Amino acid sequence: MRLDCTHTPDLMIVHVREPRIDAAGAIDFKDRMRDLTAQDGRRVLLDLSDVMFIDSSGLGAVVAVRKALGPERPLELSGLTPSVEKVFRLTRMDSVFIIHPTAPAGADGLRDAG
Amino acid sequence: MVFPADPVAVRQALCALFTGWTPGPISSEARDAAQIVLAEALNNIVEHAYALAPGEIEVTVEATQGGVTCQIIDAGVPLPGGALPDGRLPSPAAAEDLSEGGYGWHLIRSLAEDLCYRREGGRNLLSFRISAQQSSE
C-alpha cells in the first residue's frame, strides 16, 4: 500500500497511490494510516483520486481511520472517482465525511474548507 | 472462472473481469455497480462460507443488452437461516460510534436486481442481474 504524504502548516495530505482499497488491502491501509497520523497533530486530508475501486472492507478501514483520529481531527476526503463516490453515497457516508470535490492542486484553498 | 477463496484471489478475479472492459452496451455505471456487487458477494463467501475451511469459488459473468448477469457458486457453509440478509444499513451513529462493517449486503441490495440464493447439492448458488440502465441513485 503506497501512501504519499505532504504537509502544509496545518494539514497533512495523504495521497493513496493505489488503484484499490479492498478486502485484500484494508488492514494494511488502516495500519499505515495509523502510523502516518499518530505522530502528527494536523488535520488529515485523504486524496483518493487514484483509487478506482473501494469495497465495504475498504470503506470500513476509512471509517476506522476517522475514528482513530478522534473528534478533533475529522478526516477529510478528496478526489472521489465515480465508483468510490457511489459506495460513499449508497452507504450514506457522504454525509458523514467532509468531502472536497476535487483533489487539491495546492493545499491553500483547503485551509478554510469544512 | 474458478479461483481459491482468499482476498487476493478475489482481487485478481475482479481485476481480470473488469480491467479493460470494452465500452459497449454496458455503461460505466453498470460496470462499476457489477464490480461492487460481485466484490461484496465474493468477500462474504471468503469471510463466512469458507471461514472454517478453504475452498474454491466459481463465477460466471455475462454482459447482455439488458445488463450484466452474474452467478457465483461455492461449496462453503450455507447462509444463516438459508436466506439472504436484508441488508439494512447500520443505524446512524455519532461519528465516534460509526460502524466499521455491515455495509456489504446493503450495497448488494441497493445495486442488484433479481437476487436469488439457493442451496443445492451442498453448494451455494447466488445469482443476480445489474441493469444496464442505472438510475441516478
Side-chain angles (χ1 to χ4, degrees):
Chain A
M1 178 71 58
R2 195 177 145 208
L3 304 175
D4 285 350
C5 211
T6 53
H7 298 90
T8 71
D10 65 347
L11 187 65
M12 168 187 238
I13 302 171
V14 181
H15 193 147
V16 183
R17 303 278 188 190
E18 299 282 340
R20 308 173 78 85
I21 306 177
D22 60 12
I27 292 172
D28 187 32
F29 169 77
K30 200 159 54 174
D31 290 347
R32 295 285 318 285
M33 284 299 292
R34 191 187 49 217
D35 293 346
L36 278 173
T37 56
Q39 64 283 56
D40 192 301
R42 279 174 270 220
R43 280 161 50 216
V44 181
L45 175 80
L46 197 58
D47 181 348
L48 295 172
S49 55
D50 286 345
V51 179
M52 297 299 140
F53 181 79
I54 192 167
D55 63 14
S56 65
S57 299
L59 180 72
V62 175
V63 170
V65 168
R66 185 199 155 106
K67 287 165 74 173
L69 287 172
E72 303 306 315
R73 300 165 76 194
L75 181 63
E76 300 173 40
L77 310 175
S78 75
L80 272 62
T81 58
S83 180
V84 173
E85 192 273 336
K86 191 190 284 283
V87 168
F88 273 79
R89 179 163 42 82
L90 289 171
T91 56
R92 317 241 163 88
M93 285 297 143
D94 56 347
S95 63
V96 170
F97 286 90
I98 299 162
I99 300 178
H100 300 281
T102 52
D108 286 337
L110 286 161
R111 279 184 196 158
D112 300 322
Chain B
M1 178 185 286
V2 179
F3 50 90
D6 71 68
V8 173
V10 166
R11 174 194 281 177
Q12 287 166 347
L14 291 170
C15 287
L17 283 167
F18 291 99
T19 306
W21 179 295
T22 47
I26 308 302
S27 65
S28 61
E29 285 82 10
R31 179 202 59 199
D32 289 346
Q35 180 165 203
I36 292 165
V37 175
L38 263 178
E40 298 304 334
L42 295 173
N43 289 342
N44 280 328
I45 292 168
V46 171
E47 202 176 328
H48 301 294
Y50 287 122
L52 300 175
E56 287 187 330
I57 304 175
E58 182 184 337
V59 173
T60 311
V61 177
E62 198 179 352
T64 63
Q65 285 292 334
V68 186
T69 57
C70 305
Q71 186 177 55
I72 308 175
I73 302 173
D74 70 80
V77 299
L79 278 170
L84 295 166
D86 62 13
R88 223 170 312 166
L89 271 182
S91 48
E96 293 67 46
D97 302 321
L98 279 175
S99 174
E100 292 169 32
Y103 303 105
W105 277 105
H106 177 76
L107 289 169
I108 294 174
R109 291 266 188 204
S110 301
L111 296 169
E113 296 174 19
D114 303 338
L115 198 56
C116 174
Y117 167 74
R118 65 180 199 277
R119 181 82 180 172
E120 201 175 280
R123 303 193 303 172
N124 298 307
L125 282 72
L126 180 73
S127 62
F128 56 87
R129 189 173 64 83
I130 304 295
S131 171
Q133 304 295 323
Q134 290 290 301
S135 65
S136 58
E137 178 42 57

